[in-house]
Amino acid sequence: RVLSGTNTEGQPPLVGQPPSEGQSYFGSRPLFDKSQCYEFATGKLANVLGPDFAQSDSYKSRVRLPDAPLMLVDRIMSMTGVAHSLQPGKIVTEHDVLVDGWYLDNGCLPVCISVEAGQADLILSGYLGMDRESKGETVYRLLDAEITFYRHLPRPGEVIHYDIRIIEFFNHSGTWFFRFEYDGTINDTLLITMRNGCAGFFSEQALAAGEGLVTSKIVARQMKGSKGSDWIDFVEMQVEGYTALQLSHLRKGNLGDCFGTQFDQLQLNDPLVLPDGKMNLVHRVTQIIPEGGRFGLGQIIAEADIHQDDWFLTCHFVDDMVMPGTLMYECCLHTLRLYLLRMGWVAEAADVVYQPILGVRSRLKCRGQVLSTTKLVTYEVSIKELGYAPEPYAIVDSLMYADGKPIVLNI
């Protein structure tokens, strides 16, 4: 049995019974299996946590996991904390990287899914009392996170073990927030940490009144970027953009049909380009500006159209459709990849992989939302640092807009 919390007699009460079948990769029986995680996402909370949570199911919305395909919690190993206490707690979960996973990018779990799979702070915040406090009148929104990777991205067959902690709840001017963090490990080797996480619970009126990011001081301040002493320009760059048709050619590996004659004669059979399918997140490039951006090393501006039935809206969440912040993060990474490809950083897919720079912290700030009513999102990526040692790398700042409003900053 897996125990959780502390009762008035000092004994830890049961949160729930483990399923009769199934084990984790590490041999322990889970507290909740995948079918119960889906119940968290789309069913009744009381069916998993018991009748004391039936009231949460009567509200017009509650804290829940995403539905498929973004329900990434394969099992919950333990949950510690006092129900409805708004006190600190902890949840431990696992995610299996599937051999045929829809999300795989050149044989790796992409950055956004590696981060998003640590999503069970949602369950924990509800268990610890946010549903009872908000009564369905407010909804969860991620505000801040700092992400650092420590090893290469997960590969099929690996299992990520997430240790997620809510550090504190606090109320500011009538709005509830919580601070949280997590560690993600694979076979006891650290993969990822998330620190200084902050999420809040906002009314529809508060979200509608939000002005987005205050970016004037950040974006307007010019700074000098840097290139390694061994820097080489592989191809000539110029101001240009690419249509949806050109990007579709690129996704098929036809570099010259997108980037022009400089790329026509490359002897590549299967170049690593942009993801497709559900991960087709960039629809056109409005401008590439060599030596542009606030660091003077280059800038790329791209766009995507938003539709009411987009998969990332309809599954996230079933009673509160909003684009996840982690996917916004991935959109900017794909935009950066376009710039790097245009610089001539092209190779056979079997020989290279896009990876986060190990040990370099990435700070994500979300101050707005992409909804089913949003029409257009814009990604603005500015190159900050480029080099070839120890491997080719780029460090950038990115800014995302929803219908012209700045909503996400990554620095």
Side-chain angles (χ1 to χ4, degrees):
R1 297 190 303 172
V2 180
L3 304 178
S4 171
T6 304
N7 63 18
T8 56
E9 298 176 350
Q11 298 299 316
L14 278 172
V15 171
Q17 293 290 344
S20 58
E21 295 181 359
Q23 288 188 325
S24 82
Y25 179 85
F26 300 99
S28 303
R29 297 179 69 183
L31 177 64
F32 301 120
D33 65 12
K34 193 165 186 176
S35 67
Q36 291 169 303
C37 292
Y38 272 115
E39 190 72 14
F40 275 118
T42 62
K44 299 293 187 181
L45 198 58
N47 291 344
V48 185
L49 294 181
D52 193 37
F53 288 82
Q55 188 175 11
S56 297
D57 294 320
S58 68
Y59 302 139
K60 65 180 180 180
S61 68
R62 65 167 174 82
V63 186
R64 60 175 76 239
L65 288 172
D67 195 5
L70 275 178
M71 206 297 286
L72 301 169
V73 182
D74 286 297
R75 58 204 148 261
I76 297 170
M77 302 310 299
S78 65
M79 188 157 62
T80 305
V82 179
H84 309 303
S85 66
L86 293 182
Q87 294 297 312
K90 173 174 147 176
I91 188 167
V92 178
T93 69
E94 292 176 353
H95 172 73
D96 304 329
V97 184
L98 302 177
V99 173
D100 58 351
W102 61 269
Y103 39 63
L104 292 179
D105 182 5
N106 198 28
C108 292
L109 194 70
V111 167
C112 68
I113 302 298
S114 299
V115 177
E116 182 67 25
Q119 61 196 195
D121 64 285
L122 291 158
I123 296 173
L124 185 58
S125 66
Y127 170 72
L128 293 174
M130 273 314 310
D131 285 324
R132 181 171 288 188
E133 181 66 36
S134 70
K135 297 179 172 56
E137 297 301 320
T138 61
V139 292
Y140 171 102
R141 291 293 183 268
L142 175 67
L143 297 174
D144 297 293
E146 296 182 0
I147 305 296
T148 309
F149 281 85
Y150 297 90
R151 54 148 273 182
H152 59 74
L153 289 171
R155 298 186 176 114
E158 295 187 311
V159 177
I160 313 174
H161 189 85
Y162 290 95
D163 185 316
I164 304 162
R165 286 94 59 189
I166 288 182
I167 299 167
E168 67 168 343
F169 291 88
F170 63 97
N171 190 293
H172 178 69
S173 300
T175 298
W176 278 99
F177 302 85
F178 69 87
R179 303 187 197 279
F180 67 111
E181 64 184 22
Y182 69 66
D183 300 327
T185 57
I186 297 176
N187 291 329
D188 294 326
T189 298
L190 188 61
L191 163 72
I192 183 176
T193 61
M194 194 284 294
R195 294 291 185 265
N196 296 317
C198 185
F201 295 85
F202 302 94
S203 67
E204 292 181 10
Q205 295 79 9
L207 290 171
E211 297 181 359
L213 286 158
V214 179
T215 61
S216 57
K217 292 183 179 179
I218 299 172
V219 176
R221 187 174 60 180
Q222 295 295 309
M223 300 178 66
K224 184 175 178 58
S226 64
K227 290 182 178 179
S229 58
D230 56 352
W231 181 256
I232 299 171
D233 289 316
F234 289 114
V235 294
E236 181 181 345
M237 300 284 287
Q238 62 185 23
V239 176
E240 59 191 27
Y242 316 116
T243 65
L245 178 59
Q246 286 174 295
L247 293 187
S248 70
H249 288 311
L250 179 64
R251 286 188 168 92
K252 295 173 184 175
N254 301 322
L255 300 171
D257 290 339
C258 182
F259 295 141
T261 56
Q262 294 183 94
F263 292 79
D264 274 337
Q265 306 304 316
L266 296 176
Q267 301 300 311
L268 293 174
N269 297 315
D270 181 26
L272 179 56
V273 285
L274 289 177
D276 208 348
K278 285 185 174 63
M279 286 299 194
N280 185 337
L281 303 172
V282 182
H283 298 162
R284 69 193 69 86
V285 174
T286 59
Q287 214 172 26
I288 276 183
I289 312 170
E291 301 181 0
R294 69 188 188 99
F295 303 101
L297 293 185
Q299 185 179 67
I300 178 170
I301 302 171
E303 295 177 341
D305 303 311
I306 302 297
H307 310 92
Q308 290 185 352
D309 60 351
D310 280 332
W311 68 271
F312 49 78
L313 293 174
T314 56
C315 74
H316 188 274
F317 303 92
V318 296
D319 55 11
D320 173 35
M321 293 194 299
V322 61
M323 188 178 188
T326 53
L327 203 62
M328 299 177 187
Y329 185 61
E330 190 75 11
C331 296
C332 295
L333 290 177
H334 289 192
T335 303
L336 168 62
R337 189 184 298 197
L338 271 162
Y339 193 94
L340 299 180
L341 289 167
R342 178 58 181 84
M343 285 199 317
W345 287 17
V346 296
E348 296 285 0
D351 298 333
V352 294
V353 65
Y354 284 94
Q355 299 274 353
I357 302 174
L358 303 186
V360 174
R361 180 183 62 180
S362 181
R363 290 182 291 169
L364 180 67
K365 289 187 173 294
C366 301
R367 296 296 186 271
Q369 50 188 351
V370 174
L371 306 171
S372 59
T373 54
T374 304
K375 301 301 182 184
L376 181 73
V377 293
T378 305
Y379 321 121
E380 184 179 282
V381 176
S382 297
I383 311 295
K384 185 179 345 184
E385 184 177 344
L386 292 167
Y388 291 115
E391 296 175 321
Y393 72 92
I395 298 177
V396 306
D397 285 358
S398 62
L399 185 61
M400 180 174 171
Y401 301 80
D403 291 334
K405 178 190 292 186
I407 61 167
V408 175
L409 178 68
N410 178 231
I411 56 176

